[in-house]
Amino acid sequence: MKPTLFVLAAGMGSRYGGLKQLDGLGPNGETIMDYSIFDAIRAGFGKIVFVIRRDFEQDFRDKVLSKYEGHIPTELVFQAIDDLPEGFVCPADRVKPWGTNHAVLMGKNVINEPFCVINADDFYGRDAFAVMGKWLSELPEGAKNDYSMVGFRVCNTLSENGSVARGVCGKDEQGNLTTVVERTEIMRIDGVVSYKDEEANWVGIEENTPVSMNMWGFTPDYFAYSEDFFKEFLKNNIDKPKAEFFIPLMVDKLISEGTATVKVLDTNAKWFGVTYAADRQATVDKIQELVNAGDYPNKLF
């Protein structure tokens, strides 16, 4: 069974502004998402599922889904802050979405095969999709509790225009994930890749330290674990207006209690994206370089 690509496209880029998922950056107005879909198709994925906000639906169908007709099957699911388990009511003053793992839960009724989760606005690169597609497609039928994450080398994920937030990963001798610690400020300090710790001190790390760019490989059993834990999360956090149910929170629970393993898949791909408005032109230039090198056709779809 071919794996599915699950694209998280319900958010807006607060630091960049606007619906950057639809910003044309390629030579023919291609979005970063278009390159992810193209890479996924050639890596053997068989279906694309997007999670978006419902008020964005018509725009998304017209500007995005229409491009992929005839190339790969697509489906839409919707994230809403009032979509909560029975017995829970969204507080009236809640504005912030419930986080990335809540968005993942929206796919539970349409995804029945191994799947990869990505952000809509990150350029992951051809090798990252090839590595993940191979891993997912080689899982035995009915596999459970055996997950993966593409571990980008931190030196390949920095912005020249400011700090970035990354999940800094630890792994054991078997290459399985042991920890993911979200570091909200990572950048080069005097030439050394460093993160700011809880005491506001800069801590240097190795150039090839794996970091999470939210590119995860799961099997459908992950949805049931997420449903159960989301109820626990809500009991403790429903009245906290900024609390979010993140993927690393769920993954950390599963690996710390021994329920699941998460293989860290290495990639030499260079991540890039538009974290800041000033990143936009550099991203356009990098895509053009890849097109000129023959990694991508001049027109994708």
Side-chain angles (χ1 to χ4, degrees):
M1 188 177 289
K2 289 186 173 184
T4 285
L5 183 67
F6 193 10
V7 183
L8 307 185
M12 289 178 67
S14 57
R15 283 185 288 189
Y16 179 44
L19 289 163
K20 62 181 175 178
Q21 291 89 344
L22 295 186
D23 192 8
L25 301 169
N28 285 282
E30 290 88 355
T31 65
I32 283 180
M33 256 192 316
D34 290 336
Y35 287 94
S36 291
I37 306 308
F38 186 84
D39 283 333
I41 291 170
R42 63 180 170 184
F45 285 78
K47 180 176 72 175
I48 314 292
V49 177
F50 299 90
V51 56
I52 65 170
R53 297 194 319 270
R54 193 171 285 279
D55 63 356
F56 186 32
E57 180 180 2
Q58 198 54 54
D59 232 10
F60 202 85
R61 289 189 183 278
D62 294 343
K63 296 178 181 177
V64 179
L65 293 196
S66 60
K67 284 188 283 193
Y68 308 136
E69 284 178 14
H71 295 282
I72 191 166
T74 59
E75 290 196 54
L76 283 183
V77 294
F78 304 97
Q79 184 183 22
I81 61 171
D82 57 358
D83 193 336
L84 300 178
E86 192 173 341
F88 294 93
V89 177
C90 184
D93 59 349
R94 177 84 188 192
V95 176
K96 200 171 185 63
W98 291 103
T100 50
N101 212 57
H102 179 250
V104 169
L105 267 173
M106 302 304 105
K108 66 185 180 189
N109 295 323
V110 300
I111 299 176
N112 302 298
E113 54 284 318
F115 63 101
C116 169
V117 177
I118 65 166
N119 295 331
D121 49 7
D122 287 311
F123 193 106
Y124 292 98
R126 180 177 187 170
D127 185 68
F129 284 96
V131 165
M132 178 60 82
K134 182 176 187 293
W135 191 88
L136 290 173
S137 64
E138 290 177 352
L139 285 172
E141 193 170 343
K144 292 183 176 181
N145 305 326
D146 193 6
Y147 308 145
S148 65
M149 183 206 81
V150 175
F152 283 76
R153 301 167 190 176
V154 67
C155 62
N156 287 337
T157 73
L158 304 177
S159 168
E160 295 174 4
N161 297 297
S163 64
V164 294
R166 302 283 180 256
V168 177
C169 302
K171 58 182 180 177
D172 62 20
E173 291 178 358
Q174 288 73 45
N176 292 321
L177 187 68
T178 54
T179 56
V180 183
V181 180
E182 187 69 18
R183 299 296 182 183
T184 56
E185 290 186 66
I186 301 179
M187 61 192 300
R188 287 192 185 276
I189 301 293
D190 297 326
V192 178
V193 180
S194 306
Y195 67 80
K196 188 177 282 188
D197 69 11
E198 292 78 6
E199 280 76 47
N201 298 313
W202 288 101
V203 179
I205 54 178
E206 289 290 324
E207 296 269 318
N208 290 333
T209 300
V211 295
S212 168
M213 297 302 303
N214 232 25
M215 190 174 195
W216 301 91
F218 297 122
T219 45
D221 52 295
Y222 184 77
F223 293 121
Y225 295 130
S226 296
E227 282 190 297
D228 290 343
F229 190 40
F230 189 40
K231 293 171 189 173
E232 280 185 49
F233 173 87
L234 289 172
K235 285 176 187 173
N236 297 319
N237 295 283
I238 196 160
D239 292 325
K240 298 174 185 173
K242 293 189 176 180
E244 292 185 68
F245 186 44
F246 290 120
I247 294 170
L249 188 70
M250 182 74 247
V251 168
D252 185 63
K253 173 181 165 61
L254 293 174
I255 60 177
S256 63
E257 66 189 16
T259 300
T261 58
V262 180
K263 184 68 71 178
V264 179
L265 307 175
D266 181 46
T267 181
N268 59 16
K270 286 185 167 64
W271 168 93
F272 54 88
V274 185
T275 304
Y276 302 95
D279 293 332
R280 188 185 186 282
Q281 188 56 49
T283 299
V284 169
D285 294 342
K286 286 173 185 173
I287 290 173
Q288 189 62 56
E289 285 174 20
L290 291 170
V291 171
N292 293 344
D295 288 8
Y296 298 94
N298 195 56
K299 186 172 176 60
L300 293 183
F301 297 103

